[in-house]
């Protein structure tokens, strides 16, 4: 009898990812009878994730084997595919700390999960946990297992894990490439499936090197949108980068604004207004889910009781400081608990291609082994990857436009230092990373940076290894 394909979700309590990924996986006939092992350290959230998994299977009329365990090694035992969606420290206290302490020093952020001081601290909390998880994978996963990582800071984690293991490859997965292509298709009035694009770079700072419709370059039309002042309010930063650098970046404006030194500055509310930059956007998103969770739990425990209008009204009354579209997305999450349509996530597509042999091209974060010539070898890069029964095979890009690679290297420097702080167990590199971070260095002087890092290391001591303790 053929053994079931085993897929393990680490951090299954991340309900949005669990819902989307399992809906995708269960929709493929080749995966309909797979084994799904759910793991989370929060038993309550784990039980909710199990309900979500059962709901997705029932909606699609399939019968996978679904298990749930707080024992990580048990969940990983025999897995061929591992998907991780963890958040070490959670919104409270970790994310709140990442925003509140820097704010005392005059350093403000929008998202704080990829670069900047927030991304640095998240990396320091997360990489040691994932390295321990990787060791468990090496011990108990099936031969040829692959790790699909959705956890931020994506580039730092992908770099550290692939440097640590030659047996279990980590492919970092994000949805910014395909989401941005859909957004630009709306701006242009062209069906997204008709657009042909290529992009490359680092996670959250890739750029489209080709963006065409039926062989016609679409960049002149995008530049005209900028020239006419017609860029969507929530996308002004990225259209400005198109104007300045000649190419469109893949990550959202609120993210991109804190990866560079030009948009968030002390006393420059005019810049925030001009580019519509939402400070504290990520904490606002977390607050949305604090309001949404009771509705989600009621719907999971008693199907048919969802009240999208009541949730929307509650969120609007709470006056949470986020981009308006995020309130709509929270309502869609509640509605989507019963949806059966596939998401745009790459995780399910990769698993299906590797199991069925169906060829696909996805954008994955992998180690730079002669893939992009003008980025450092060994760093994590985001490139087109062919996926089939042979696995995930990155494609060579060559040399990026020099101005794009130069900008990316300012972020790669920070990533490298955070990885070195962990792998070399050298606390001093945390200061170095913060000193070289573009946004942090544009706002704070050296004494402020050191004082801020010291305070953050003390505040996060419960989540940090001993060698990083203040």
């Amino acid at each position: 009898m053929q053994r079931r394909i085993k897929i393990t979700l680490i951090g299954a309590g991340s309900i949005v990812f669990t819902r989307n990924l399992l809906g995708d996986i269960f929709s493929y006939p080749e995966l309909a009878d797979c084994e799904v092992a759910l793991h989370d350290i929060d038993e309550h959230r784990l039980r909710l994730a199990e309900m979500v998994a059962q709901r997705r299977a029932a909606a699609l009329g399939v019968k996978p084997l679904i298990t749930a365990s707080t024992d990580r090694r048990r969940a990983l035992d025999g897995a061929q595919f591992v998907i991780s969606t963890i958040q070490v420290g959670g919104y409270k206290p970790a994310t709140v700390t990442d925003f509140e302490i820097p704010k005392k020093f005059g350093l403000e952020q929008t998202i704080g999960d990829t670069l900047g001081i927030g991304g640095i601290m998240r990396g320091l909390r997360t990489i040691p946990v994932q390295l321990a998880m990787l060791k468990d994978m090496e011990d108990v996963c099936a031969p040829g297992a692959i790790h699909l990582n959705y956890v931020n800071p994506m580039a730092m984690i992908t770099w550290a894990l692939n440097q640590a293991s030659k047996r279990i490859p980590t492919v970092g997965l994000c949805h910014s490439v395909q989401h941005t292509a859909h957004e630009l298709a709306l701006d242009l009035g062209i069906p997204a499936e008709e657009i042909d694009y290529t992009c490359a770079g680092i996670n959250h700072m890739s750029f489209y090197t080709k963006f065409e419709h039926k062989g016609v370059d679409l960049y002149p039309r995008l530049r005209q949108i900028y020239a006419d002042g017609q860029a969507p309010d929530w996308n002004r930063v990225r259209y400005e980068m198109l104007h300045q650098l000649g190419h469109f970046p893949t990550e959202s404006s609120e993210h991109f604004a804190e990866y560079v030194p030009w948009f968030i500055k002390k006393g420059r509310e005019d810049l925030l207004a001009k580019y519509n930059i939402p400070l504290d956007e990520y904490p606002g998103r977390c607050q949305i889910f604090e309001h949404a969770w009771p509705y989600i739990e009621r719907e999971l425990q008693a199907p048919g009781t969802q009240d999208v209008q009541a949730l929307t009204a509650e969120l609007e009354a709470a006056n949470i400081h986020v981009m308006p579209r995020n309130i709509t997305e929270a309502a869609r999450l509640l509605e989507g608990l019963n949806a059966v349509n596939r998401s745009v996530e790459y995780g399910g597509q990769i698993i299906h291609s590797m199991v069925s042999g169906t060829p696909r091209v996805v954008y994955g974060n992998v180690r730079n082994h002669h893939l992009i010539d003008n980025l450092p070898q060994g760093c994590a890069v985001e490139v087109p990857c062919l996926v089939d029964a042979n696995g995930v095979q990155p494609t060579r890009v060559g040399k990026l436009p020099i101005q794009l690679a130069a900008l990316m290297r300012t972020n790669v420097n920070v990533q490298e230092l955070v990885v070195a702080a962990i792998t070399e167990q050298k606390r001093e590199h945390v200061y170095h990373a913060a000193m070289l971070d573009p946004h942090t260095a544009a706002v704070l002087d050296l004494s402020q940076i050191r004082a801020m890092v010291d305070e953050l290391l003390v505040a996060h001591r419960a989540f940090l290894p001993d060698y990083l303790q203040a």
Side-chain angles (χ1 to χ4, degrees):
M1 182 176 178
Q2 188 174 5
R3 184 175 179 271
R4 291 177 187 257
I5 300 297
K6 183 172 181 180
I7 304 164
T8 299
L9 271 66
I10 304 293
S14 300
I15 297 298
V16 176
F17 276 112
T18 297
R19 178 203 66 173
N20 290 343
L21 291 167
L22 292 185
D24 295 345
I25 289 165
F26 294 159
S27 71
Y28 295 110
E30 297 90 342
L31 302 175
D33 65 345
C34 68
E35 177 182 355
V36 169
L38 307 174
H39 166 73
D40 203 284
I41 60 173
D42 184 325
E43 190 159 3
H44 176 64
R45 293 286 289 266
L46 181 61
R47 296 308 156 200
L48 293 177
E50 190 174 14
M51 291 181 192
V52 169
Q54 298 288 1
R55 177 80 68 90
R56 302 305 272 166
L60 289 160
V62 297
K63 295 183 178 180
L65 173 62
I66 298 170
T67 62
S69 176
T70 55
D71 184 327
R72 185 172 67 195
R73 287 176 70 93
R74 180 180 176 186
L76 288 170
D77 189 22
Q80 291 123 300
F81 301 94
V82 179
I83 303 174
S84 55
T85 60
I86 67 172
Q87 183 182 359
V88 179
Y91 165 52
K92 293 179 180 177
T95 297
V96 171
T97 299
D98 285 344
F99 277 77
E100 293 305 314
I101 289 177
K103 198 179 296 184
K104 287 168 47 180
F105 289 84
L107 182 64
E108 298 195 275
Q109 302 166 89
T110 54
I111 307 294
D113 70 353
T114 297
L115 207 74
I117 193 61
I120 291 168
M121 298 311 300
R122 186 179 284 226
L124 296 175
R125 295 193 301 271
T126 307
I127 292 172
V129 172
Q130 288 203 297
L131 287 172
M133 182 189 79
L134 188 64
K135 179 63 169 62
D136 285 348
M137 290 172 60
E138 290 181 328
D139 289 346
V140 302
C141 280
I146 186 172
H147 174 218
L148 305 177
N149 177 63
Y150 276 98
V151 182
N152 282 323
M154 177 68 68
M156 298 179 194
I157 290 168
T158 303
W159 189 335
L161 269 58
N162 280 318
Q163 182 174 288
S165 177
K166 300 297 185 290
R167 289 174 50 197
I168 305 285
T170 291
V171 179
L173 299 177
C174 185
H175 43 233
S176 59
V177 172
Q178 60 270 47
H179 274 179
T180 299
H182 279 76
E183 291 168 0
L184 292 179
L186 290 173
D187 291 353
L188 295 164
I190 297 173
E193 61 274 13
E194 294 182 10
I195 293 178
D196 181 22
Y197 62 81
T198 303
C199 70
I202 60 173
N203 183 241
H204 285 196
M205 196 178 272
S206 287
F207 287 81
Y208 294 98
T209 55
K210 180 177 78 171
F211 204 76
E212 296 178 351
H213 180 238
K214 298 181 179 179
V216 177
D217 184 10
L218 292 172
Y219 264 126
R221 289 184 58 185
L222 292 175
R223 294 187 186 100
Q224 193 61 50
I225 289 174
Y226 173 86
D228 294 341
Q230 296 301 309
D233 287 347
W234 49 269
N235 222 356
R236 295 177 191 169
V237 168
R238 288 199 288 179
Y239 270 93
E240 183 65 36
M241 297 317 301
L242 166 65
H243 174 65
Q244 298 290 344
L245 298 175
H247 297 268
F248 205 92
T250 57
E251 190 44 69
S252 66
S253 284
E254 59 264 32
H255 270 282
F256 199 93
E258 64 181 7
Y259 305 154
V260 294
W262 309 309
F263 297 105
I264 306 172
K265 294 179 176 290
K266 279 183 183 177
R268 292 298 305 275
E269 285 76 14
D270 58 316
L271 282 176
L272 300 178
K274 178 180 179 180
Y275 292 105
N276 194 28
I277 297 170
L279 298 177
D280 294 339
E281 165 79 359
Y282 185 71
R285 294 182 191 181
C286 296
Q287 292 170 40
I288 283 177
F289 276 92
E290 286 194 325
H291 285 269
W293 260 112
Y295 291 85
I296 293 168
E297 289 196 37
R298 283 196 295 271
E299 174 58 26
L300 289 172
Q301 294 164 353
T305 60
Q306 63 181 356
D307 192 338
V308 175
Q309 289 184 334
L311 172 59
T312 302
E314 181 177 323
L315 291 173
E316 290 174 346
N319 194 29
I320 297 170
H321 184 67
V322 291
M323 302 289 265
R325 68 181 187 275
N326 286 313
I327 290 178
T328 304
E329 287 176 4
R332 285 179 185 157
L333 167 62
L334 188 57
E335 291 179 313
L337 289 173
N338 299 312
V340 295
N341 54 302
R342 286 180 185 158
S343 75
V344 299
E345 301 294 348
Y346 288 134
Q349 297 178 40
I350 290 174
I351 295 171
H352 178 252
S353 286
M354 290 181 64
V355 170
S356 69
T358 304
R360 285 186 175 88
V361 174
V362 304
Y363 281 83
N365 291 270
V366 296
R367 200 167 193 193
N368 188 25
H369 182 63
H370 303 292
L371 300 175
I372 298 180
D373 293 339
N374 46 353
L375 290 181
Q377 294 299 305
C379 76
V381 293
E382 190 167 67
V383 296
C385 300
L386 172 65
V387 192
D388 57 21
N390 296 311
V392 179
Q393 304 149 71
T395 62
R396 175 171 161 76
V397 172
K399 189 176 181 180
L400 290 173
I402 189 171
Q403 73 278 15
L404 304 184
L407 178 60
M408 292 171 198
R409 287 195 296 266
T410 67
N411 282 218
V412 171
N413 291 336
V414 181
Q415 296 162 7
E416 181 178 23
L417 284 161
V418 173
V419 172
I422 299 297
T423 59
E424 298 176 16
Q425 300 191 6
K426 192 169 182 179
R427 185 168 173 265
E428 192 68 13
H429 285 328
V430 181
Y431 301 103
H432 298 154
M435 288 160 55
L436 289 175
D437 175 67
H439 175 42
T440 302
V443 177
L444 303 182
D445 64 32
L446 290 172
S447 62
Q448 291 172 318
I449 290 171
R450 280 195 169 268
M452 176 183 66
V453 169
D454 283 338
E455 192 167 336
L456 282 164
L457 291 175
V458 169
H460 284 303
R461 60 186 176 273
F463 305 107
L464 297 175
D466 290 345
Y467 55 83
L468 293 179
Q469 299 289 348

